[in-house]
Amino acid sequence: MSAAAITAHAPSHPHGEATGIWSWITTVDHKRIGIMYFLTSFFFFFVGGLEALLIRIQLMRPENAFISAETYSQMFTMHGTTMVFLVAMPMAVAFFNYLVPLQIGARDVAFPRLNALSFWVFLFGGLYLNSSFLFGAAPNTSWVGYANLTSLQFTPGRNVEFWIIGLSILGASSILGGVNFITTIINLRAPGMKLMRMPLFTWMTLVTSFLLITALPVIAVALILLGFDRFFGANFFEVTAGGDPILWQHLFWLFGHPEVYILILPAFGIISDVIPTFSKKPLFGYPVVVYAGILIGFIGWGVWSHHMFTVGLGPIADSFFVASTMIIAIPTGIKIFNWLATMWGGSLRFPTPMLFAVGLVAVFTVGGLSGVMHASAPVDLQQHDSYFVVAHFHYVLVGGAMMGLFSGIYFWFPKVTGRMMNETIGKWHFWTTLVGFNLTFFPMHFAGLFGMPRRTWTYLEALNLETWNQLSTVGAFIFGASSLLLMWNLFHSVRKGEKASPNPWGAGTLEWALPSPPRHYNFAALPRVRSREPLWDEEERKEVEAVTMAEPDREPLMPSPSFWPVVLAFGLALTWILLMTHIWWMPLLGLAVTAVAVFGWAFQPAFR
Amino acid sequence: MLKRAGAMRHAKLMPWAKGLGTLFLMAFLSSCGQDYLQSTINPVTDYGEAIHKLYVQIFWWTMLILAVVWALMAYILIRFREKPGQERPKPVHGHVGLEIAWTLVPALIVVAIVIPTIRTIFEIQRPPEGDVLVVEVTGKRYWWSFHFPELGVTTANELHLPVGRPVSLRLESGDVIHSFWVPQLGGKRDVNPVVSVPEGREPKRNWMHITIREKGVFWGQCAEFCGEAHSLMGIRVVAQDEEEFQDWVETWRTPAPTANAPADAEPASPGTPAASADPARPDTGEVGEVREGGIAHAAIDAYEEDPLVARGREVFFRESYCVLCHAIEGTQAAGIIGPNLTRFGSRLTLGAGMLPNTDENLIAWIADPRGVKPGAQMPGAQYTVTYEGQTFPPLNLNDEQIRALAAYLSSMR
Amino acid sequence: MAHAAAVAPDDHHYTSTGLSSWKVGFWAFIGSECLFFATLISTYLVYKGRSITGPYPEEILDIPLTTISTFVLLMSSLAMVLALDGVQRGSRKLALIWLGTVILLGATFLGFQVYEFNHFVHEGLTIGTNVFGSSFFVLTGFHGAHVAVGLIWLLTLWILAFRNKLPATDSLKVEIAGLYWHFVDVVWIVIFTLVYLIQ
């Protein structure tokens, strides 16, 4: 990379950023990419939500046939796959993208074009996965896709192929994103921004990024093994040849458990920035919260077989995973107490971001505690694969991750758009979410306790599960309605919201020392940072804002837009997709596009 | 002013919301009296009770933690809400003592939970001693086969077991991963396909060890997603006292009077009792002379049979290919692909626990298995089925044949 | 008060560690590749000795031949070090010689792999024969693919050097290519040890 090579060509847009759809397609600006990630994942949130509502309608009555059993399998598979890979992960990445450079005092991420690539690969992967519906062959073997159900023998057809290829494409996006954020956070911090001065959200981004680059390769291999079995007759999960379907479970959960920390740590990071702001106190025990996050990341690698207590691994293995899983509860508990201690003695205000943050703490505790029950292997023998565990993970993922992301949306919307979100709608959104969410998922504890397995299309009337299911269905519609409130609030506020000052919440971290929205280069000159909350010390605030708010005499040269990322994303996606033709030379066409894009990219200077 | 009041109102609402939730919880718990046929908190075996005991312990620990956290939150949300004119609070960056305390206390609770947990793990996985009844459970899409190796009995979907005797279920799948879950018996255990191993090694299978403490009929179902009809793969466990269980075994071994046509009575193989000679007691087999190698014929003399039953038998053996998949002990039907139909008439349900075993349901089932149970692997009147690599053409039975078949099967109690 | 701006608008080289972002990022990528190969290798080890039918590894793996190819790959890493040194010194000649050597040796290694695969297929071992065939071909196949990508990368650098477009100031490019190449070599050492030597 030849860095400061300002060429003979004048920059095409010397002041501000270009507009128009081509400028968005070729953008390498982390803020625009963040917005695109957000809008895309928000769209998929409603897709996944629709799938959930269809499930809930089907389960409203025993022995119902609102949709067929086959369609139902596709619904719960796609609901899970969509919510995990196309909503929760990319929405967190939207936040990583927009905020991390601003929080650490950088002009962009380390690899802006790679950043764009990650987005386009994600978009193509998500669209491809959902295109399976057009063929009536949406994935249908659950979001965990256990072998040997997924083998050609037991699930012939395209469904599993779509799943393998879709997830492979998405995994690449995540790994590249992880590499980008690790490099950004390690290498592009403003002077004085020591690691232990970074906002907690950036810290959790760093831990999550390490989890991304280590966990995603494991599922990539698992998908390769399954793909080779299906496409090329390999024997990885073929029992007659000595292949073991349980290997799939080990590999999947070696990925899967770090994955759930990938899903929750960003939300923990968000509320670790939100709660201090609305308590007017710094985060209690900042280093401990950081170390707890790192510890969770590490220990998270050692607990995977707590998803496999019913598999028959033997008492010694079971006992080991009981111990490791219980141990990981401790750093999680520590964080909860640190948040509470932050609020203790503070001066609490409750605008919508704080409502969601506090809501997360209350609700996640429930989910965490049902998790403690699952951690006891004998108890889990009853709870595993029942609605009890469905309750557990929705409490931690919706009540935890989603509420954290909602908190972040309300918190940082003013920074991104320069307008405030509507507080009244926000409060309605919060309360209907809380009611709808609890009404949906709390009864599931009982359904599970009373013997309702998960992934079931229907249940017998005699089992007396109808009332619990009806409550859940009603709650689901309330929750759906509350999400419409959010959509309304976003679209309304973007156009008509009250104008926002640079720091409407009185927060302490660096991003609030910039105009709302920030200029396209973020920081004309990088400020020097002297503490964790630079804006909470009067002197330091003045010093920082003198740099960050000043009009520069000339704008810094920023990386130029490029169309190679979208072309390369297309080439990569095409390569995988053409595998579905089962014609050996077709993927080579995709590889050709990929190669052209790689060379085009490599020989295009970043700054033009 | 209004805005702050609103904020206060919201802060105050939170503790109330939580209080209401707790009341809700208690109301729900009190509904435990209801009849939940697959309840996990009403165990009838030693295995189930060990699990339940541990669950109750952990449940109370989690309730304690929840109460502490929520009480703290409620207090904080009310006590520390912003007051007008309030000064900015003093920054507190941490407190080592507190950090240690709230690390240590959870750690101690963790230890208090882990110790009984590990003890229970070893306890429930320990093979029992004494006179253990072994059952080989095979899960297939979408039904269960139960074979008692020491008794020579094979049945399907309805598992009869004696009370008070240690039972060991050996679990194996004939296709994909299933999970055997009868909540009142205890936790579930996965039913995995047996992985081929090189010579000299033992293939691995899962076991479940239980001793049932009370009689009754216990409901269960497959708990690992296995395909289209996963939710329709039910189990019935009929726990009987030892005498009743032995009766059931003997009955199974004895061909039902209507099982064979009088002239076609299947030669009894050595060691099995001859068919009952007493039509007045069709349910119990009379132990006949034990033969050594020779052929014995069932002595059914003038026995007035329902002509529909006879017609059904005709259809079963000659007009369709039922015998390719199904077996009826003591007859020429020896198919192992589908459920064993010996003494089918006495079963409580059909379709693997899906419907009560009535004539009407049986007729509907035979006419269109997939209409009753989408995904069922039994060939229907209109469609072919490919199962385990073989293709089975439509049954092509008309209404009359189906009614007769149902009558035949029902007659074998 | 002195001007508080710590980094001026024109400075695009500022980093908080003084390391090149390319290097940091590439090491992170290598981390993910480590997990990738660790998973493939673990799969191979899980299925070691579990094939129901042959051909079995002890019958078909040619240790002497593979020792030679391993040595070839190792020597290519040495050549890579020399190539980097050549570029850093600004010597077009050395760069061409040593980059060329890496490419030749790497291609030779690949040639050995292709021969081995062909030979195995003739001996009746394919990806579908048994679990040994599946895990062996997928593991070594993906490694070979990584070598192939490396060769294309190195060839590109060679062409750049040939056209005098690889000055010493661009040595970072060669250093990173070298990082990749050494990584691929280390992975092979592990594979060679666990698959061929320890049986």
Side-chain angles (χ1 to χ4, degrees):
Chain A
M1 174 185 86
S2 41
I6 301 173
T7 64
H9 309 285
S12 33
H13 293 277
H15 301 293
E17 222 175 356
T19 51
I21 193 165
W22 183 246
S23 74
W24 283 83
I25 293 177
T26 56
T27 188
V28 297
D29 178 347
H30 70 100
K31 299 185 289 303
R32 285 196 168 183
I33 294 171
I35 291 171
M36 290 198 288
Y37 261 110
F38 178 78
L39 292 174
T40 310
S41 60
F42 195 61
F43 165 72
F44 281 123
F45 178 56
F46 286 92
V47 172
L50 186 63
E51 285 151 357
L53 289 179
L54 291 172
I55 291 172
R56 286 310 331 160
I57 295 174
Q58 164 62 21
L59 290 178
M60 212 164 60
R61 254 186 280 285
E63 299 168 56
N64 201 4
F66 169 69
I67 50 177
S68 70
E70 172 56 31
T71 303
Y72 185 81
S73 304
Q74 296 181 9
M75 286 301 119
F76 67 68
T77 303
M78 287 305 284
H79 168 74
T81 303
T82 298
M83 289 305 196
V84 169
F85 293 104
L86 304 181
V87 180
M89 285 172 82
M91 203 178 277
V93 173
F95 283 94
F96 295 170
N97 255 294
Y98 202 97
L99 292 164
V100 167
L102 302 181
Q103 287 198 332
I104 62 176
R107 294 196 187 110
D108 206 309
V109 295
F111 307 113
R113 285 179 297 181
L114 195 70
N115 201 16
L117 176 69
S118 286
F119 170 72
W120 293 109
V121 172
F122 153 63
L123 178 67
F124 293 150
L127 289 176
Y128 175 70
L129 200 54
N130 279 276
S131 74
S132 61
F133 278 115
L134 297 173
F135 298 88
N140 60 354
T141 48
S142 89
W143 93 280
V144 298
Y146 274 12
N148 50 354
L149 177 64
T150 48
S151 70
L152 205 50
Q153 180 185 9
F154 296 114
T155 308
R158 300 295 203 182
N159 320 57
V160 176
E161 285 181 17
F162 272 106
W163 190 71
I164 292 172
I165 288 166
L167 284 191
S168 301
I169 298 172
L170 294 169
S173 164
S174 296
I175 294 175
L176 296 174
V179 167
N180 217 339
F181 284 101
I182 290 174
T183 311
T184 304
I185 295 172
I186 288 180
N187 224 18
L188 294 186
R189 288 166 283 128
M193 178 63 80
K194 298 199 246 197
L195 286 174
M196 290 308 260
R197 283 187 188 155
M198 298 193 306
L200 232 300
F201 175 69
T202 296
W203 252 117
M204 293 300 106
T205 304
L206 184 61
V207 178
T208 305
S209 300
F210 272 104
L211 290 176
L212 282 169
I213 65 168
T214 45
L216 269 300
V218 181
I219 193 180
V221 171
L223 291 168
I224 286 171
L225 302 184
L226 182 63
F228 270 79
D229 268 19
R230 284 190 71 107
F231 286 92
F232 303 116
N235 296 305
F236 292 106
F237 307 115
E238 183 51 55
V239 294
T240 53
D244 195 342
I246 295 175
L247 176 65
W248 170 272
Q249 292 185 42
H250 281 294
L251 294 180
F252 184 85
W253 288 115
L254 272 164
F255 149 78
H257 201 85
E259 168 66 15
V260 311
Y261 293 113
I262 289 169
L263 294 173
I264 197 64
L265 288 179
F268 282 178
I270 291 174
I271 69 167
S272 300
D273 281 358
V274 169
I275 290 179
T277 301
F278 297 105
S279 307
K280 295 200 184 135
K281 275 177 73 220
L283 183 68
F284 188 93
Y286 170 103
V288 177
V289 178
V290 169
Y291 294 136
I294 296 173
L295 212 60
I296 289 174
F298 266 109
I299 303 178
W301 277 97
V303 305
W304 81 91
S305 284
H306 69 219
H307 300 269
M308 296 167 65
F309 282 143
T310 60
V311 169
L313 300 178
I316 298 175
D318 286 349
S319 301
F320 173 82
F321 286 102
V322 166
S324 62
T325 307
M326 293 278 186
I327 287 174
I328 210 172
I330 298 173
T332 315
I334 288 175
K335 280 181 183 276
I336 297 206
F337 291 122
N338 275 287
W339 290 321
L340 293 180
T342 305
M343 294 192 279
W344 185 286
S347 177
L348 308 177
R349 290 169 295 145
F350 295 97
T352 311
M354 185 61 164
L355 286 175
F356 275 109
V358 171
L360 184 160
V361 179
V363 169
F364 181 84
T365 306
V366 175
L369 290 173
S370 58
V372 168
M373 290 186 200
H374 297 326
S376 172
V379 176
D380 192 47
L381 295 182
Q382 289 281 26
Q383 299 174 343
H384 172 75
D385 260 335
S386 77
Y387 260 80
F388 198 97
V389 79
V390 176
H392 159 71
F393 66 70
H394 281 96
Y395 262 83
V396 290
L397 286 180
V398 183
M402 282 315 296
M403 295 238 271
L405 291 169
F406 288 162
S407 173
I409 291 173
Y410 283 91
F411 190 56
W412 279 300
F413 184 90
K415 180 56 56 188
V416 176
T417 62
R419 293 178 184 273
M420 302 298 287
M421 286 184 82
N422 184 298
E423 254 310 295
T424 310
I425 304 176
K427 290 190 156 61
W428 274 96
H429 173 216
F430 171 72
W431 287 107
T432 49
T433 296
L434 198 67
V435 168
F437 161 78
N438 278 294
L439 189 58
T440 310
F441 297 109
F442 199 74
M444 289 186 185
H445 291 104
F446 293 94
L449 214 56
F450 298 135
M452 182 172 176
R454 65 184 289 196
R455 301 184 180 128
T456 40
W457 171 57
T458 190
Y459 49 95
L460 294 178
E461 182 162 357
L463 295 178
N464 278 323
L465 298 168
E466 183 169 4
T467 312
W468 307 113
N469 276 282
Q470 281 177 336
L471 288 169
S472 291
T473 301
V474 171
F477 276 91
I478 296 176
F479 185 77
S482 79
S483 305
L484 291 175
L485 280 177
L486 175 60
M487 170 147 57
W488 176 31
N489 202 347
L490 285 168
F491 285 124
H492 168 90
S493 306
V494 128
R495 283 168 301 130
K496 301 235 175 65
E498 189 187 311
K499 282 252 192 269
S501 64
N503 191 1
W505 309 119
T509 48
L510 215 51
E511 73 268 31
W512 302 104
L514 293 170
S516 297
R519 292 180 277 245
H520 71 100
Y521 49 81
N522 305 343
F523 300 91
L526 304 188
R528 173 165 291 280
V529 170
R530 299 183 196 284
S531 69
R532 279 181 201 144
E533 291 96 11
L535 302 191
W536 278 2
D537 173 77
E538 232 354 78
E539 263 198 47
E540 195 181 351
R541 185 182 65 80
K542 290 208 186 86
E543 193 185 334
V544 164
E545 283 179 352
V547 177
T548 59
M549 294 294 229
E551 276 294 330
D553 2 315
R554 61 190 180 293
E555 288 181 358
L557 189 65
M558 292 299 287
S560 310
S562 170
F563 59 76
W564 289 118
V566 74
V567 175
L568 180 53
F570 177 70
L572 283 173
L574 191 65
T575 310
W576 269 299
I577 291 167
L578 287 175
L579 280 169
M580 299 249 318
T581 60
H582 290 262
I583 301 172
W584 71 268
W585 50 263
M586 285 289 244
L588 296 178
L589 296 176
L591 274 179
V593 175
T594 306
V596 168
V598 167
F599 280 101
W601 177 327
F603 287 102
Q604 180 188 62
F607 296 83
R608 299 191 299 284
Chain B
M1 190 58 199
L2 265 161
K3 230 188 183 165
R4 217 164 286 151
M8 275 167 46
R9 208 188 338 123
H10 280 279
K12 270 201 165 135
L13 268 174
M14 290 278 266
W16 280 117
K18 275 184 253 157
L20 226 74
T22 316
L23 276 172
F24 240 166
L25 169 63
M26 286 160 59
F28 284 149
L29 281 175
S30 69
S31 71
C32 281
Q34 267 217 51
D35 208 9
Y36 289 109
L37 296 170
Q38 284 180 191
S39 169
T40 62
I41 50 179
N42 190 5
V44 300
T45 68
D46 56 344
Y47 168 61
E49 270 156 28
I51 290 174
H52 186 61
K53 212 167 92 185
L54 192 57
Y55 168 69
V56 171
Q57 267 182 40
I58 298 176
F59 174 80
W60 287 116
W61 278 117
T62 57
M63 288 300 109
L64 174 68
I65 297 169
L66 190 64
V68 166
V69 172
W70 277 9
L72 266 174
M73 276 196 81
Y75 177 75
I76 289 170
L77 292 175
I78 301 178
R79 167 78 176 78
F80 296 108
R81 64 191 187 283
E82 184 182 52
K83 296 177 198 43
Q86 190 181 27
E87 260 179 27
R88 197 181 174 88
K90 251 188 12 190
V92 180
H93 289 100
H95 185 284
V96 179
L98 270 178
E99 298 278 8
I100 293 180
W102 66 53
T103 307
L104 223 53
V105 170
L108 289 172
I109 297 178
V110 157
V111 172
I113 295 177
V114 167
I115 292 178
T117 296
I118 295 185
R119 228 186 260 142
T120 309
I121 290 174
F122 280 88
E123 183 189 323
I124 62 180
Q125 292 191 35
R126 196 175 303 128
E129 281 151 15
D131 180 22
V132 181
L133 178 66
V134 173
V135 185
E136 289 169 5
V137 177
T138 305
K140 297 218 251 185
R141 309 217 280 186
Y142 299 97
W143 59 280
W144 303 90
S145 167
F146 302 117
H147 176 67
F148 297 75
E150 296 139 17
L151 306 174
V153 172
T154 304
T155 183
N157 300 321
E158 189 173 292
L159 177 59
H160 288 247
L161 291 175
V163 167
R165 214 186 346 153
V167 172
S168 287
L169 306 175
R170 194 189 77 167
L171 307 171
E172 157 179 348
S173 167
D175 40 40
V176 299
I177 299 178
H178 301 276
S179 195
F180 185 85
W181 192 30
V182 182
Q184 286 196 269
L185 294 188
K188 65 187 65 70
R189 192 53 87 184
D190 282 1
V191 174
N192 300 315
V194 179
V195 173
S196 303
V197 286
E199 274 200 48
R201 291 209 219 172
E202 270 303 302
K204 205 173 159 292
R205 290 180 178 85
N206 282 342
W207 289 85
M208 188 185 289
H209 306 297
I210 56 176
T211 304
I212 306 181
R213 302 246 165 107
E214 58 186 78
K215 289 167 49 158
V217 177
F218 306 112
W219 293 39
Q221 51 185 125
C222 175
E224 183 60 61
F225 181 66
C226 52
E228 200 178 343
H230 161 65
S231 55
L232 305 169
M233 190 171 155
I235 304 163
R236 292 288 177 277
V237 172
V238 178
Q240 307 170 294
D241 58 42
E242 193 65 46
E243 208 186 289
E244 290 169 334
F245 177 72
Q246 290 304 334
D247 277 348
W248 176 78
V249 172
E250 288 315 306
T251 307
W252 188 93
R253 286 182 176 150
T254 313
T258 57
N260 294 296
D264 288 344
E266 174 73 0
S269 39
T272 60
S276 165
D278 186 346
R281 295 174 59 197
D283 284 5
T284 61
E286 202 75 304
V287 177
E289 323 108 66
V290 177
R291 276 140 252 289
E292 323 221 1
I295 296 181
H297 290 278
I300 302 177
D301 18 63
Y303 168 46
E304 275 308 313
E305 209 178 40
D306 181 350
L308 194 60
V309 169
R311 176 84 189 98
R313 188 168 53 230
E314 181 87 6
V315 173
F316 188 88
F317 285 99
R318 293 194 219 284
E319 292 180 21
S320 192
Y321 59 87
C322 314
V323 301
L324 233 56
C325 299
H326 295 286
I328 299 180
E329 180 72 1
T331 70
Q332 283 188 321
I336 54 172
I337 297 172
N340 186 301
L341 296 179
T342 309
R343 301 287 179 166
F344 178 82
S346 65
R347 290 201 198 149
L348 300 167
T349 63
L350 56 85
M354 283 305 103
L355 291 171
N357 186 7
T358 64
D359 280 341
E360 191 186 321
N361 288 336
L362 187 52
I363 288 168
W365 171 263
I366 300 171
D368 186 7
R370 283 191 182 162
V372 171
K373 178 168 164 171
Q377 300 291 288
M378 176 162 142
Q382 314 301 328
Y383 52 85
T384 58
V385 163
T386 305
Y387 190 63
E388 298 194 339
Q390 292 173 266
T391 306
F392 300 93
L395 292 180
N396 271 326
L397 299 168
N398 61 40
D399 283 347
E400 181 262 335
Q401 290 170 304
I402 294 173
R403 262 183 293 116
L405 258 182
Y408 170 60
L409 291 170
S410 304
S411 72
M412 294 182 285
R413 282 182 235 285
Chain C
M1 186 183 352
H3 186 35
V7 176
D10 289 347
D11 192 340
H12 299 288
H13 294 288
Y14 168 77
T15 64
S16 12
T17 59
L19 295 168
S20 148
S21 283
W22 283 93
K23 260 199 232 181
V24 174
F26 204 77
W27 273 107
F29 176 68
I30 299 267
S32 77
E33 290 268 79
C34 281
L35 264 297
F36 180 82
F37 278 106
T39 311
L40 282 173
I41 292 170
S42 302
T43 303
Y44 180 85
L45 293 176
V46 160
Y47 284 136
K48 206 164 170 144
R50 305 244 301 236
S51 289
I52 309 294
T53 61
Y56 300 100
E58 55 268 20
E59 304 168 344
I60 203 169
L61 294 176
D62 187 341
I63 308 224
L65 191 68
T66 319
T67 309
I68 297 172
S69 69
T70 305
F71 179 73
V72 165
L73 196 63
L74 268 169
M75 287 300 107
S76 75
S77 265
L78 174 60
M80 186 73 223
V81 172
L82 294 167
L84 175 62
D85 181 63
V87 173
Q88 282 172 334
R89 287 201 221 186
S91 163
R92 175 174 174 275
K93 181 164 151 226
L94 286 178
L96 286 174
I97 291 174
W98 290 117
L99 276 178
T101 309
V102 181
I103 294 170
L104 275 169
L105 292 177
T108 306
F109 172 83
L110 266 192
F112 273 99
Q113 292 296 83
V114 169
Y115 166 77
E116 188 189 36
F117 279 26
N118 252 300
H119 177 67
F120 284 4
V121 170
H122 276 127
E123 292 291 304
L125 181 74
T126 66
I127 206 173
T129 310
N130 52 19
V131 285
F132 167 59
S134 303
S135 51
F136 174 83
F137 281 114
V138 170
L139 171 60
T140 55
F142 269 94
H143 175 263
H146 278 76
V147 173
V149 167
L151 287 178
I152 297 174
W153 190 347
L154 290 166
L155 191 59
T156 313
L157 289 174
W158 192 93
I159 294 174
L160 278 177
F162 186 75
R163 288 153 132 217
N164 246 312
K165 295 228 178 101
L166 200 59
T169 45
D170 274 0
S171 66
L172 183 67
K173 292 183 182 169
V174 183
E175 194 174 349
I176 291 186
L179 215 63
Y180 177 78
W181 191 257
H182 296 312
F183 169 72
V184 166
D185 195 358
V186 167
V187 170
W188 179 254
I189 309 277
V190 177
I191 294 176
F192 180 59
T193 309
L194 293 175
V195 173
Y196 292 81
L197 295 183
I198 303 179
Q199 283 186 44

